[in-house]
Amino acid sequence: MGNSVELSKIAAAIGHDEETTRRLIHNMMDKYDTDDRGIRIIELEDSFQMCTKPQMYEYLIKVARQPRRYVLTDVQLETLSIIAYRQPVTKLEIEKIRGVKSDHAVNKLVEYDLVCEVGRLDAPGKPILFGTTEEFLRRFSIHSLDELPGINPEQIESFKHEAEEEAQLRLDV
């Protein structure tokens, strides 16, 4: 199908309950991992998708057109991480955290299908709320947002200290 399929739809199609279906799919995932096959099944939240194994990429591009590759800049990665950890989040909230305008970075992330509009904030102007997409999970090889690494509490303290020093420097100027 080209996209992931929700577990509930697969279960309905094969006439099993979701738990049995999940077990069957996980058995297939294990089999594809151990066999010398060019495909695998990946899990994305409560959906599954068949895709090519990464090590088959060089062979695949010889028979199919090469997918468009893009490189994320530091600004885009920073913006993406803010969205991933704070979602749903508005551009204004992103800009408060980053300290600079983020329109271009957010627009590029939407273009790359890593983030999307997930709603509108019930506030004046109804600002757009952004969140990550299934493509984000796929590109970063994670099953769900729960797999994002946690932030070290010592780093948080360090960031707070740096921000306070920077704020003091601005006041002194």
Side-chain angles (χ1 to χ4, degrees):
M1 293 176 66
N3 296 315
S4 65
V5 181
E6 294 171 8
L7 177 64
S8 59
K9 289 183 179 180
I10 298 170
I14 66 172
H16 286 289
D17 62 271
E18 288 185 18
E19 191 53 41
T20 303
T21 303
R22 182 183 305 276
R23 201 170 48 254
L24 289 169
I25 293 171
H26 280 274
N27 287 341
M28 289 173 65
M29 290 168 73
D30 292 341
K31 184 168 176 44
Y32 288 166
D33 282 344
T34 58
D35 287 351
D36 189 23
R37 297 180 188 236
I39 60 172
R40 66 184 178 143
I41 300 172
I42 60 172
E43 187 173 359
L44 305 165
E45 303 245 301
D46 255 351
S47 299
F48 293 89
Q49 181 175 2
M50 292 188 82
C51 59
T52 308
K53 286 184 176 175
Q55 57 268 36
M56 297 295 142
Y57 178 78
E58 69 178 79
Y59 303 110
L60 180 64
I61 63 170
K62 290 178 181 177
V63 294
R65 67 170 203 183
Q66 188 167 356
R68 189 169 145 219
R69 305 291 286 192
Y70 50 84
V71 176
L72 294 176
T73 65
D74 289 344
V75 169
Q76 292 165 346
L77 280 171
E78 182 179 287
T79 304
L80 182 58
S81 64
I82 292 167
I83 295 169
Y85 280 95
R86 299 287 300 259
Q87 63 186 302
V89 64
T90 65
K91 276 187 194 175
L92 182 61
E93 291 171 310
I94 295 166
E95 291 167 358
K96 275 185 180 177
I97 294 168
R98 292 195 63 238
V100 293
K101 291 293 254 177
S102 299
D103 291 337
H104 181 72
V106 171
N107 291 341
K108 279 297 187 185
L109 294 171
V110 168
E111 180 184 323
Y112 297 156
D113 193 31
L114 296 173
V115 301
C116 66
E117 179 179 331
V118 294
R120 298 250 176 193
L121 187 63
D122 190 17
K126 300 278 189 200
I128 298 171
L129 290 167
F130 292 95
T132 55
T133 63
E134 227 178 53
E135 183 64 18
F136 167 81
L137 298 175
R138 197 174 294 113
R139 292 284 176 186
F140 288 89
S141 299
I142 58 175
H143 298 122
S144 74
L145 295 173
D146 296 334
E147 291 183 22
L148 289 174
I151 300 173
N152 182 339
E154 292 172 10
Q155 279 184 314
I156 292 173
E157 286 306 312
S158 173
F159 293 150
K160 283 182 184 177
H161 182 68
E162 287 177 31
E164 289 168 359
E165 285 178 355
E166 187 175 318
Q168 187 60 43
L169 285 174
R170 287 184 185 173
L171 289 175
D172 293 342
V173 175

